[in-house]
């Protein structure tokens, strides 16, 4: 059985991308080096991570953090899991600010976790990323993008390209000096040359989009 390590050689990834895509390589030199994400080596609980992803959906970071804090206080724990979330009923979740749809999603996540349907990090180490996407997107409220973020930032898989992400599409538009952002299907084809390090390309495309956005902001007026 294949084993998939968490993290990869970022220097090899950068060298590969610069070699196969000169335009992206030029932007990478402009942005500067990016270090390996320290979260790749830190333990985490997939159920807790998915529960937090559900709570953060469609909310600002501050608002979501407030709701998460209320839920943690209600369950008397900082780990969101089947056993801890099971300590409170739906009405209490709603009182914490959790919407009805998110409450249903959390309950479905807990039910699947109790049934052994949510793979552990150890189990994920033996799973191809497409298998992980298939397993986790069965959970109500968990889409492909959410799992791709876990693959990139938690599991450190090297070849993930979230083609539906607006930031990545914007970064690709800037690199190619295109009039419009590429459609997901076109971006998938465009990124074939970045494999097997499409994760590293994604991280730079986000940085490129952020840099362009910051440069486009008007400078603040000096006070008279």
């Amino acid at each position: 059985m294949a084993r998939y390590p968490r993290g990869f050689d970022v220097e090899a990834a950068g060298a590969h991308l610069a070699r196969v895509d000169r335009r992206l390589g030029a932007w990478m030199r402009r942005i500067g080096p990016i270090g390996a994400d320290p979260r790749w080596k830190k333990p985490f609980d997939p159920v807790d991570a998915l529960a937090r992803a559900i709570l953060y959906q469609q909310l600002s970071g501050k608002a979501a953090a407030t709701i998460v804090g209320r839920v943690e206080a209600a369950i008397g724990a900082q780990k969101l899991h089947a056993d801890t979330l099971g300590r409170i009923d739906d009405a209490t979740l709603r009182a914490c600010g959790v919407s009805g749809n998110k409450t249903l999603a959390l309950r479905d996540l807990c039910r699947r976790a109790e049934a052994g349907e949510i793979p552990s990090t150890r189990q994920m180490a033996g799973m191809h990323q497409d298998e992980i996407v298939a397993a986790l997107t069965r959970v109500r409220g968990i889409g492909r993008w959410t799992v791709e973020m876990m693959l990139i930032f938690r599991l450190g898989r090297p070849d993930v390209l979230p083609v539906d992400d607006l930031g990545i599409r914007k970064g690709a538009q800037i690199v190619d000096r295109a009039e419009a952002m590429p459609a997901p299907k076109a971006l998938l084809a465009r990124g074939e040359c970045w494999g097997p390090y499409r994760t590293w390309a994604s991280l730079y495309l986000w940085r490129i989009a952020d840099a362009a956005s910051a440069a486009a902001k008007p400078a603040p007026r000096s006070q008279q």
Side-chain angles (χ1 to χ4, degrees):
M1 177 184 295
R3 301 293 292 179
Y4 299 90
R6 292 179 61 185
F8 53 92
D9 186 335
V10 299
E11 292 185 2
H16 170 77
L17 294 175
R19 183 174 63 254
V20 301
D21 192 328
R22 291 183 178 181
R23 285 177 291 186
L24 178 59
W27 266 101
M28 290 169 63
R29 291 189 294 273
R30 180 174 173 181
I31 296 295
I34 301 176
D37 196 313
R39 289 174 291 183
W40 292 347
K41 301 303 181 183
K42 292 182 178 179
F44 78 100
D45 185 299
V47 176
D48 178 80
L50 291 170
R52 292 175 188 276
I54 289 169
L55 292 173
Y56 268 79
Q57 287 172 356
Q58 299 177 327
L59 292 175
S60 69
K62 184 177 180 180
T66 297
I67 291 173
V68 169
R70 291 173 184 161
V71 173
E72 289 175 342
I75 65 178
Q78 292 186 323
K79 182 179 180 180
L80 307 181
H81 217 276
D83 55 347
T84 56
L85 288 169
R87 298 171 186 172
I88 57 177
D89 57 18
D90 291 356
T92 304
L93 274 175
R94 297 297 298 274
C96 292
V98 181
S99 70
N101 282 336
K102 290 183 180 182
T103 296
L104 290 172
L106 288 174
R107 296 306 186 198
D108 184 54
L109 172 63
C110 291
R111 180 182 65 79
R112 293 180 183 275
E114 289 179 323
E117 297 179 20
I118 308 300
S120 66
T121 52
R122 177 173 292 185
Q123 290 171 321
M124 288 181 187
M127 298 170 66
H128 186 273
Q129 63 194 43
D130 291 341
E131 294 177 301
I132 296 173
V133 170
L136 299 186
T137 52
R138 295 189 186 106
V139 178
R140 180 186 178 113
I142 297 296
R144 184 179 185 89
W145 181 88
T146 298
V147 184
E148 289 171 334
M149 296 305 103
M150 179 183 289
L151 289 167
I152 290 175
F153 294 108
R154 297 289 195 142
L155 295 174
R157 293 295 176 95
D159 202 28
V160 182
L161 180 61
V163 295
D164 294 309
D165 187 277
L166 290 178
I168 289 177
R169 292 171 61 199
K170 182 64 177 178
Q173 177 190 0
I174 294 167
V175 167
D176 291 338
R177 299 179 181 178
E179 294 184 359
M181 290 188 295
K185 186 176 181 179
L187 179 57
L188 185 64
R190 170 71 175 85
E192 281 294 327
C193 67
W194 300 332
Y197 295 114
R198 289 183 293 177
T199 290
W200 207 234
S202 298
L203 292 172
Y204 268 100
L205 291 172
W206 273 314
R207 295 287 185 94
I208 292 165
D210 288 344
S213 178
K217 291 181 179 178
R221 293 183 179 180
S222 58
Q223 294 182 351
Q224 301 295 326

